Amino acid sequence: MQVISQRYPDIRIEGENYLPQPLYRHIASFLSVFKLVLIGFIIVGKDPFAFFGMQAPSVWQWGQENKVYACMMVFFLSSMTENICMSTGAFEITLNDVPVWSKLQSGHLPSMQQLVQILDNEMKLNVHMEQMPHHRS
């Protein structure tokens, strides 16, 4: 941002998150609530499997014997999965509402040299378009 702001002081730079598909957002939201419920069950020691008439698996027994470690594992694994669901890998650049770079399409981030060259070309094109005579019909 500093390089671009110094080179192009008139450019306003805005950043925002590129939202993932709704399915992934819903999965992340579900996991966020589910992990808190599961951690609550672990801490209280309430067996949720008994409610469904099922025998608790051995991993549940292990979690009851190692509550702190089990809670940490649930928290970190769930958070990691939430982050994977919410990450799009997007790095999209638009100039005057015109897309000039897309990591989603190209598969990689532009180098600083590529970014400056793209902006130089776009700025020259914009100046050229503004200087063209407008014909009235």
Side-chain angles (χ1 to χ4, degrees):
M1 277 181 49
Q2 287 179 328
V3 172
I4 293 171
S5 294
Q6 288 173 354
R7 190 170 176 120
Y8 309 102
D10 295 336
I11 287 184
R12 183 173 43 109
I13 299 172
E14 295 177 359
E16 61 185 68
N17 287 328
Y18 193 86
L19 289 176
Q21 296 176 5
L23 173 64
Y24 293 118
R25 288 197 312 260
H26 294 306
I27 290 171
S29 295
F30 170 77
L31 284 174
S32 180
V33 172
F34 181 73
K35 85 175 161 201
L36 296 176
V37 170
L38 187 55
I39 288 171
F41 277 124
I42 292 170
I43 291 171
V44 172
K46 184 79 173 157
D47 183 0
F49 297 97
F51 180 75
F52 297 107
M54 300 168 52
Q55 183 177 349
S58 60
V59 70
W60 180 259
Q61 300 300 331
W62 174 87
Q64 288 304 295
E65 295 166 7
N66 304 285
K67 288 185 179 194
V68 172
Y69 190 67
C71 288
M72 287 175 36
M73 291 299 292
V74 167
F75 181 82
F76 288 120
L77 290 175
S78 176
S79 295
M80 182 180 66
T81 307
E82 289 172 52
N83 287 336
I84 289 170
C85 287
M86 293 302 289
S87 175
T88 61
F91 186 80
E92 314 300 294
I93 301 172
T94 59
L95 183 63
N96 297 329
D97 296 326
V98 176
V100 294
W101 184 270
S102 171
K103 181 183 175 222
L104 295 176
Q105 290 178 351
S106 68
H108 67 282
L109 291 171
S111 68
M112 184 52 69
Q113 183 180 358
Q114 284 177 310
L115 183 55
V116 169
Q117 186 176 11
I118 289 167
L119 291 175
D120 277 343
N121 291 339
E122 289 295 322
M123 297 299 254
K124 288 176 188 172
L125 181 63
N126 285 341
V127 168
H128 179 71
M129 294 299 278
E130 289 172 4
Q131 292 175 350
M132 286 181 57
H134 296 284
H135 297 285
R136 292 192 174 167
S137 328

